[in-house]
mmCIF file of all heavy atoms in Angstrom:
data_model
loop_
_atom_site.group_PDB
_atom_site.id
_atom_site.type_symbol
_atom_site.label_atom_id
_atom_site.label_comp_id
_atom_site.label_asym_id
_atom_site.label_seq_id
_atom_site.Cartn_x
_atom_site.Cartn_y
_atom_site.Cartn_z
ATOM 1 N N ARG F 28 -0.503 -2.294 -20.133
ATOM 2 C CA ARG F 28 0.904 -2.343 -20.380
ATOM 3 C C ARG F 28 1.576 -1.041 -19.899
ATOM 4 O O ARG F 28 2.693 -1.065 -19.326
ATOM 5 C CB ARG F 28 1.220 -2.576 -21.950
ATOM 6 C CG ARG F 28 2.631 -2.511 -22.309
ATOM 7 C CD ARG F 28 2.742 -2.533 -23.811
ATOM 8 N NE ARG F 28 2.099 -1.460 -24.453
ATOM 9 C CZ ARG F 28 2.374 -0.178 -24.454
ATOM 10 N NH1 ARG F 28 3.492 0.194 -23.951
ATOM 11 N NH2 ARG F 28 1.690 0.635 -25.133
ATOM 12 N N ARG F 29 0.941 0.073 -20.131
ATOM 13 C CA ARG F 29 1.580 1.318 -19.801
ATOM 14 C C ARG F 29 1.572 1.493 -18.280
ATOM 15 O O ARG F 29 2.498 2.007 -17.657
ATOM 16 C CB ARG F 29 0.691 2.483 -20.348
ATOM 17 C CG ARG F 29 0.977 2.737 -21.802
ATOM 18 C CD ARG F 29 0.186 3.906 -22.354
ATOM 19 N NE ARG F 29 -1.195 3.572 -22.663
ATOM 20 C CZ ARG F 29 -2.177 4.437 -22.437
ATOM 21 N NH1 ARG F 29 -1.908 5.563 -21.963
ATOM 22 N NH2 ARG F 29 -3.414 4.035 -22.686
ATOM 23 N N ILE F 30 0.561 0.879 -17.554
ATOM 24 C CA ILE F 30 0.601 0.855 -16.089
ATOM 25 C C ILE F 30 1.842 0.084 -15.531
ATOM 26 O O ILE F 30 2.516 0.513 -14.659
ATOM 27 C CB ILE F 30 -0.756 0.360 -15.521
ATOM 28 C CG1 ILE F 30 -1.862 1.437 -15.726
ATOM 29 C CG2 ILE F 30 -0.603 -0.033 -14.037
ATOM 30 C CD1 ILE F 30 -3.263 0.829 -15.505
ATOM 31 N N ILE F 31 1.955 -1.135 -16.100
ATOM 32 C CA ILE F 31 3.075 -1.913 -15.636
ATOM 33 C C ILE F 31 4.409 -1.355 -15.894
ATOM 34 O O ILE F 31 5.282 -1.369 -15.109
ATOM 35 C CB ILE F 31 2.998 -3.313 -16.317
ATOM 36 C CG1 ILE F 31 1.734 -4.098 -15.788
ATOM 37 C CG2 ILE F 31 4.211 -4.220 -16.027
ATOM 38 C CD1 ILE F 31 1.643 -4.406 -14.304
ATOM 39 N N GLU F 32 4.542 -0.680 -17.059
ATOM 40 C CA GLU F 32 5.748 0.004 -17.387
ATOM 41 C C GLU F 32 6.056 1.154 -16.469
ATOM 42 O O GLU F 32 7.170 1.518 -16.227
ATOM 43 C CB GLU F 32 5.640 0.664 -18.853
ATOM 44 C CG GLU F 32 5.806 -0.491 -19.914
ATOM 45 C CD GLU F 32 5.512 0.069 -21.235
ATOM 46 O OE1 GLU F 32 5.184 1.215 -21.358
ATOM 47 O OE2 GLU F 32 5.754 -0.662 -22.278
ATOM 48 N N HIS F 33 5.009 1.701 -15.811
ATOM 49 C CA HIS F 33 5.161 2.841 -14.868
ATOM 50 C C HIS F 33 5.216 2.408 -13.415
ATOM 51 O O HIS F 33 5.198 3.172 -12.513
ATOM 52 C CB HIS F 33 4.041 3.866 -15.149
ATOM 53 C CG HIS F 33 4.350 5.219 -14.662
ATOM 54 N ND1 HIS F 33 4.949 6.142 -15.523
ATOM 55 C CD2 HIS F 33 4.291 5.882 -13.466
ATOM 56 C CE1 HIS F 33 5.126 7.330 -14.854
ATOM 57 N NE2 HIS F 33 4.880 7.189 -13.549
ATOM 58 N N THR F 34 5.132 1.025 -13.272
ATOM 59 C CA THR F 34 5.208 0.500 -11.879
ATOM 60 C C THR F 34 6.564 -0.131 -11.716
ATOM 61 O O THR F 34 6.822 -1.228 -12.333
ATOM 62 C CB THR F 34 4.115 -0.469 -11.706
ATOM 63 O OG1 THR F 34 2.850 0.165 -11.920
ATOM 64 C CG2 THR F 34 4.087 -1.126 -10.284
ATOM 65 N N PRO F 35 7.464 0.443 -10.833
ATOM 66 C CA PRO F 35 8.806 -0.109 -10.725
ATOM 67 C C PRO F 35 8.798 -1.635 -10.363
ATOM 68 O O PRO F 35 9.756 -2.354 -10.713
ATOM 69 C CB PRO F 35 9.390 0.707 -9.597
ATOM 70 C CG PRO F 35 8.763 2.107 -9.791
ATOM 71 C CD PRO F 35 7.367 1.724 -10.188
ATOM 72 N N MET F 36 7.875 -2.074 -9.554
ATOM 73 C CA MET F 36 7.786 -3.454 -9.191
ATOM 74 C C MET F 36 7.255 -4.387 -10.257
ATOM 75 O O MET F 36 7.248 -5.560 -10.099
ATOM 76 C CB MET F 36 7.103 -3.653 -7.818
ATOM 77 C CG MET F 36 7.763 -3.059 -6.615
ATOM 78 S SD MET F 36 6.994 -3.455 -5.099
ATOM 79 C CE MET F 36 7.483 -5.087 -4.850
ATOM 80 N N ALA F 37 6.782 -3.812 -11.363
ATOM 81 C CA ALA F 37 6.474 -4.412 -12.586
ATOM 82 C C ALA F 37 5.367 -5.538 -12.394
ATOM 83 O O ALA F 37 5.525 -6.575 -13.074
ATOM 84 C CB ALA F 37 7.767 -5.013 -13.258
ATOM 85 N N ARG F 38 4.351 -5.259 -11.615
ATOM 86 C CA ARG F 38 3.296 -6.161 -11.563
ATOM 87 C C ARG F 38 2.048 -5.481 -11.003
ATOM 88 O O ARG F 38 2.200 -4.392 -10.436
ATOM 89 C CB ARG F 38 3.562 -7.359 -10.618
ATOM 90 C CG ARG F 38 3.798 -6.981 -9.139
ATOM 91 C CD ARG F 38 3.951 -8.300 -8.278
ATOM 92 N NE ARG F 38 4.205 -8.050 -6.904
ATOM 93 C CZ ARG F 38 3.349 -7.810 -5.944
ATOM 94 N NH1 ARG F 38 2.020 -7.820 -6.304
ATOM 95 N NH2 ARG F 38 3.675 -7.608 -4.733
ATOM 96 N N PHE F 39 0.844 -6.059 -11.132
ATOM 97 C CA PHE F 39 -0.368 -5.558 -10.467
ATOM 98 C C PHE F 39 -0.240 -5.969 -9.014
ATOM 99 O O PHE F 39 0.428 -6.972 -8.623
ATOM 100 C CB PHE F 39 -1.625 -6.101 -11.170
ATOM 101 C CG PHE F 39 -1.808 -5.658 -12.474
ATOM 102 C CD1 PHE F 39 -1.901 -6.458 -13.581
ATOM 103 C CD2 PHE F 39 -1.917 -4.293 -12.766
ATOM 104 C CE1 PHE F 39 -2.146 -6.100 -14.850
ATOM 105 C CE2 PHE F 39 -2.170 -3.765 -14.051
ATOM 106 C CZ PHE F 39 -2.273 -4.729 -15.116
ATOM 107 N N GLY F 40 -0.936 -5.269 -8.158
ATOM 108 C CA GLY F 40 -1.019 -5.617 -6.743
ATOM 109 C C GLY F 40 -1.854 -6.911 -6.558
ATOM 110 O O GLY F 40 -2.763 -7.268 -7.362
ATOM 111 N N ASP F 41 -1.509 -7.579 -5.495
ATOM 112 C CA ASP F 41 -2.346 -8.757 -5.006
ATOM 113 C C ASP F 41 -3.195 -8.233 -3.835
ATOM 114 O O ASP F 41 -2.610 -7.411 -2.954
ATOM 115 C CB ASP F 41 -1.468 -9.882 -4.537
ATOM 116 C CG ASP F 41 -2.246 -11.082 -4.160
ATOM 117 O OD1 ASP F 41 -2.712 -11.084 -2.998
ATOM 118 O OD2 ASP F 41 -2.366 -12.075 -4.918
ATOM 119 N N PRO F 42 -4.396 -8.566 -3.731
ATOM 120 C CA PRO F 42 -5.243 -8.028 -2.629
ATOM 121 C C PRO F 42 -4.560 -8.238 -1.277
ATOM 122 O O PRO F 42 -4.745 -7.330 -0.363
ATOM 123 C CB PRO F 42 -6.513 -8.863 -2.740
ATOM 124 C CG PRO F 42 -6.672 -9.144 -4.217
ATOM 125 C CD PRO F 42 -5.287 -9.354 -4.655
ATOM 126 N N ASP F 43 -3.874 -9.246 -1.021
ATOM 127 C CA ASP F 43 -3.189 -9.482 0.234
ATOM 128 C C ASP F 43 -2.102 -8.427 0.558
ATOM 129 O O ASP F 43 -1.676 -8.225 1.674
ATOM 130 C CB ASP F 43 -2.529 -10.888 0.279
ATOM 131 C CG ASP F 43 -3.564 -12.033 0.522
ATOM 132 O OD1 ASP F 43 -4.647 -11.676 1.148
ATOM 133 O OD2 ASP F 43 -3.347 -13.113 0.092
ATOM 134 N N ASP F 44 -1.642 -7.737 -0.583
ATOM 135 C CA ASP F 44 -0.649 -6.714 -0.265
ATOM 136 C C ASP F 44 -1.237 -5.548 0.496
ATOM 137 O O ASP F 44 -0.408 -4.734 1.037
ATOM 138 C CB ASP F 44 -0.123 -6.144 -1.694
ATOM 139 C CG ASP F 44 0.578 -7.177 -2.507
ATOM 140 O OD1 ASP F 44 1.171 -8.108 -1.906
ATOM 141 O OD2 ASP F 44 0.565 -7.086 -3.716
ATOM 142 N N LEU F 45 -2.517 -5.422 0.649
ATOM 143 C CA LEU F 45 -3.102 -4.287 1.394
ATOM 144 C C LEU F 45 -3.183 -4.615 2.838
ATOM 145 O O LEU F 45 -3.305 -3.704 3.695
ATOM 146 C CB LEU F 45 -4.546 -3.932 0.840
ATOM 147 C CG LEU F 45 -4.550 -3.481 -0.638
ATOM 148 C CD1 LEU F 45 -5.992 -3.532 -1.002
ATOM 149 C CD2 LEU F 45 -3.897 -2.170 -0.727
ATOM 150 N N VAL F 46 -3.102 -5.914 3.219
ATOM 151 C CA VAL F 46 -3.462 -6.206 4.582
ATOM 152 C C VAL F 46 -2.447 -5.712 5.685
ATOM 153 O O VAL F 46 -2.872 -5.197 6.678
ATOM 154 C CB VAL F 46 -3.577 -7.764 4.691
ATOM 155 C CG1 VAL F 46 -3.750 -8.268 6.132
ATOM 156 C CG2 VAL F 46 -4.731 -8.328 3.857
ATOM 157 N N GLY F 47 -1.216 -5.776 5.319
ATOM 158 C CA GLY F 47 -0.220 -5.262 6.331
ATOM 159 C C GLY F 47 -0.363 -3.801 6.651
ATOM 160 O O GLY F 47 -0.376 -3.426 7.831
ATOM 161 N N THR F 48 -0.622 -3.036 5.618
ATOM 162 C CA THR F 48 -0.840 -1.558 5.869
ATOM 163 C C THR F 48 -2.115 -1.386 6.615
ATOM 164 O O THR F 48 -2.194 -0.482 7.581
ATOM 165 C CB THR F 48 -0.989 -0.865 4.507
ATOM 166 O OG1 THR F 48 0.316 -1.071 3.771
ATOM 167 C CG2 THR F 48 -1.130 0.600 4.712
ATOM 168 N N LEU F 49 -3.165 -2.138 6.380
ATOM 169 C CA LEU F 49 -4.440 -1.983 7.028
ATOM 170 C C LEU F 49 -4.262 -2.336 8.514
ATOM 171 O O LEU F 49 -4.658 -1.525 9.421
ATOM 172 C CB LEU F 49 -5.492 -2.911 6.440
ATOM 173 C CG LEU F 49 -6.851 -2.907 7.223
ATOM 174 C CD1 LEU F 49 -7.509 -1.538 6.992
ATOM 175 C CD2 LEU F 49 -7.729 -4.044 6.650
ATOM 176 N N LEU F 50 -3.584 -3.433 8.851
ATOM 177 C CA LEU F 50 -3.397 -3.736 10.216
ATOM 178 C C LEU F 50 -2.505 -2.742 10.952
ATOM 179 O O LEU F 50 -2.791 -2.465 12.170
ATOM 180 C CB LEU F 50 -2.747 -5.199 10.307
ATOM 181 C CG LEU F 50 -3.576 -6.376 9.692
ATOM 182 C CD1 LEU F 50 -2.904 -7.685 9.996
ATOM 183 C CD2 LEU F 50 -4.963 -6.302 10.303
ATOM 184 N N TRP F 51 -1.593 -2.281 10.264
ATOM 185 C CA TRP F 51 -0.711 -1.127 10.933
ATOM 186 C C TRP F 51 -1.617 0.052 11.296
ATOM 187 O O TRP F 51 -1.637 0.539 12.426
ATOM 188 C CB TRP F 51 0.339 -0.825 9.953
ATOM 189 C CG TRP F 51 1.135 0.456 10.441
ATOM 190 C CD1 TRP F 51 1.875 0.535 11.629
ATOM 191 C CD2 TRP F 51 1.265 1.644 9.762
ATOM 192 N NE1 TRP F 51 2.515 1.820 11.674
ATOM 193 C CE2 TRP F 51 2.071 2.556 10.549
ATOM 194 C CE3 TRP F 51 0.847 2.160 8.513
ATOM 195 C CZ2 TRP F 51 2.451 3.773 10.172
ATOM 196 C CZ3 TRP F 51 1.127 3.398 8.201
ATOM 197 C CH2 TRP F 51 2.030 4.285 8.912
ATOM 198 N N LEU F 52 -2.464 0.433 10.368
ATOM 199 C CA LEU F 52 -3.254 1.672 10.567
ATOM 200 C C LEU F 52 -4.372 1.438 11.605
ATOM 201 O O LEU F 52 -4.829 2.310 12.324
ATOM 202 C CB LEU F 52 -3.865 2.142 9.262
ATOM 203 C CG LEU F 52 -2.935 2.789 8.249
ATOM 204 C CD1 LEU F 52 -3.652 3.029 6.874
ATOM 205 C CD2 LEU F 52 -2.249 3.976 8.767
ATOM 206 N N CYS F 53 -4.820 0.201 11.793
ATOM 207 C CA CYS F 53 -5.872 -0.128 12.675
ATOM 208 C C CYS F 53 -5.470 -0.396 14.167
ATOM 209 O O CYS F 53 -6.087 -0.470 15.048
ATOM 210 C CB CYS F 53 -6.688 -1.293 12.216
ATOM 211 S SG CYS F 53 -7.676 -1.038 10.725
ATOM 212 N N SER F 54 -4.117 -0.548 14.243
ATOM 213 C CA SER F 54 -3.578 -1.163 15.505
ATOM 214 C C SER F 54 -2.739 -0.074 16.282
ATOM 215 O O SER F 54 -2.539 1.058 15.777
ATOM 216 C CB SER F 54 -2.643 -2.353 15.255
ATOM 217 O OG SER F 54 -1.490 -1.940 14.610
ATOM 218 N N ASP F 55 -2.302 -0.463 17.425
ATOM 219 C CA ASP F 55 -1.473 0.408 18.294
ATOM 220 C C ASP F 55 -0.103 0.698 17.635
ATOM 221 O O ASP F 55 0.586 1.611 18.147
ATOM 222 C CB ASP F 55 -1.261 -0.174 19.665
ATOM 223 C CG ASP F 55 -2.617 -0.102 20.514
ATOM 224 O OD1 ASP F 55 -3.522 0.630 20.132
ATOM 225 O OD2 ASP F 55 -2.690 -0.942 21.467
ATOM 226 N N ALA F 56 0.207 -0.091 16.642
ATOM 227 C CA ALA F 56 1.528 0.158 15.977
ATOM 228 C C ALA F 56 1.581 1.486 15.342
ATOM 229 O O ALA F 56 2.658 2.041 15.124
ATOM 230 C CB ALA F 56 1.778 -0.968 14.979
ATOM 231 N N SER F 57 0.423 2.088 15.038
ATOM 232 C CA SER F 57 0.274 3.461 14.476
ATOM 233 C C SER F 57 -0.394 4.410 15.302
ATOM 234 O O SER F 57 -1.027 5.443 14.831
ATOM 235 C CB SER F 57 -0.326 3.378 13.100
ATOM 236 O OG SER F 57 -1.660 2.956 13.208
ATOM 237 N N ARG F 58 -0.277 4.284 16.615
ATOM 238 C CA ARG F 58 -1.098 5.056 17.594
ATOM 239 C C ARG F 58 -0.884 6.642 17.480
ATOM 240 O O ARG F 58 -1.653 7.304 18.034
ATOM 241 C CB ARG F 58 -0.931 4.546 19.017
ATOM 242 C CG ARG F 58 0.542 4.786 19.515
ATOM 243 C CD ARG F 58 0.631 4.053 20.822
ATOM 244 N NE ARG F 58 2.008 4.218 21.408
ATOM 245 C CZ ARG F 58 2.432 3.609 22.464
ATOM 246 N NH1 ARG F 58 1.668 2.676 23.135
ATOM 247 N NH2 ARG F 58 3.686 3.845 22.961
ATOM 248 N N PHE F 59 0.285 7.035 16.896
ATOM 249 C CA PHE F 59 0.515 8.453 16.747
ATOM 250 C C PHE F 59 0.504 8.916 15.269
ATOM 251 O O PHE F 59 1.111 9.893 14.897
ATOM 252 C CB PHE F 59 1.867 8.822 17.397
ATOM 253 C CG PHE F 59 2.118 10.285 17.699
ATOM 254 C CD1 PHE F 59 1.208 10.973 18.401
ATOM 255 C CD2 PHE F 59 3.181 10.933 17.196
ATOM 256 C CE1 PHE F 59 1.400 12.341 18.682
ATOM 257 C CE2 PHE F 59 3.491 12.287 17.464
ATOM 258 C CZ PHE F 59 2.479 13.077 18.247
ATOM 259 N N VAL F 60 -0.205 8.107 14.432
ATOM 260 C CA VAL F 60 -0.406 8.358 13.043
ATOM 261 C C VAL F 60 -1.779 8.720 12.769
ATOM 262 O O VAL F 60 -2.718 7.928 12.956
ATOM 263 C CB VAL F 60 0.096 7.146 12.251
ATOM 264 C CG1 VAL F 60 -0.127 7.409 10.784
ATOM 265 C CG2 VAL F 60 1.499 6.838 12.490
ATOM 266 N N THR F 61 -2.074 9.956 12.222
ATOM 267 C CA THR F 61 -3.386 10.356 11.754
ATOM 268 C C THR F 61 -3.220 11.396 10.648
ATOM 269 O O THR F 61 -2.282 12.145 10.618
ATOM 270 C CB THR F 61 -4.230 10.872 12.952
ATOM 271 O OG1 THR F 61 -5.622 10.897 12.540
ATOM 272 C CG2 THR F 61 -3.806 12.160 13.406
ATOM 273 N N GLY F 62 -4.156 11.428 9.743
ATOM 274 C CA GLY F 62 -4.257 12.295 8.716
ATOM 275 C C GLY F 62 -3.393 12.056 7.512
ATOM 276 O O GLY F 62 -2.934 12.915 6.707
ATOM 277 N N ILE F 63 -3.028 10.714 7.299
ATOM 278 C CA ILE F 63 -2.107 10.365 6.147
ATOM 279 C C ILE F 63 -2.807 9.513 5.153
ATOM 280 O O ILE F 63 -3.812 8.801 5.462
ATOM 281 C CB ILE F 63 -0.785 9.713 6.634
ATOM 282 C CG1 ILE F 63 -1.001 8.361 7.247
ATOM 283 C CG2 ILE F 63 -0.059 10.575 7.571
ATOM 284 C CD1 ILE F 63 0.195 7.579 7.379
ATOM 285 N N VAL F 64 -2.332 9.463 3.960
ATOM 286 C CA VAL F 64 -2.775 8.603 2.934
ATOM 287 C C VAL F 64 -1.528 7.721 2.535
ATOM 288 O O VAL F 64 -0.532 8.306 2.069
ATOM 289 C CB VAL F 64 -3.346 9.405 1.692
ATOM 290 C CG1 VAL F 64 -3.719 8.373 0.581
ATOM 291 C CG2 VAL F 64 -4.464 10.249 2.101
ATOM 292 N N VAL F 65 -1.671 6.423 2.687
ATOM 293 C CA VAL F 65 -0.569 5.548 2.417
ATOM 294 C C VAL F 65 -0.734 4.933 1.077
ATOM 295 O O VAL F 65 -1.672 4.118 0.825
ATOM 296 C CB VAL F 65 -0.445 4.494 3.463
ATOM 297 C CG1 VAL F 65 0.783 3.625 3.298
ATOM 298 C CG2 VAL F 65 -0.397 5.075 4.900
ATOM 299 N N PRO F 66 0.271 5.131 0.073
ATOM 300 C CA PRO F 66 0.178 4.490 -1.194
ATOM 301 C C PRO F 66 0.679 3.026 -1.067
ATOM 302 O O PRO F 66 1.667 2.823 -0.415
ATOM 303 C CB PRO F 66 0.983 5.303 -2.066
ATOM 304 C CG PRO F 66 1.960 5.894 -1.197
ATOM 305 C CD PRO F 66 1.301 6.158 0.183
ATOM 306 N N VAL F 67 -0.146 2.082 -1.598
ATOM 307 C CA VAL F 67 0.311 0.686 -1.744
ATOM 308 C C VAL F 67 0.251 0.341 -3.138
ATOM 309 O O VAL F 67 -0.756 -0.070 -3.699
ATOM 310 C CB VAL F 67 -0.624 -0.232 -0.864
ATOM 311 C CG1 VAL F 67 -0.076 -1.696 -0.945
ATOM 312 C CG2 VAL F 67 -0.663 0.211 0.607
#
């Protein structure tokens, strides 16, 4: 409950929510991106 109250989107993540960020980081779409940590 405390986690959900502290999450503005008011839900737990779905595993599929990670896929778009992963594909971005793995692909040429992020070819000038290195050394970052992306919160999802």
Side-chain angles (χ1 to χ4, degrees):
R28 177 187 55 76
R29 283 183 283 143
I30 288 168
I31 294 300
E32 288 175 351
H33 204 92
T34 302
M36 293 187 73
R38 67 173 176 87
F39 294 121
D41 183 280
D43 284 334
D44 293 334
L45 296 172
V46 172
T48 301
L49 175 68
L50 297 184
W51 173 59
L52 291 175
C53 289
S54 70
D55 289 343
S57 63
R58 64 188 182 186
F59 198 51
V60 176
T61 195
I63 68 168
V64 178
V65 184
V67 182

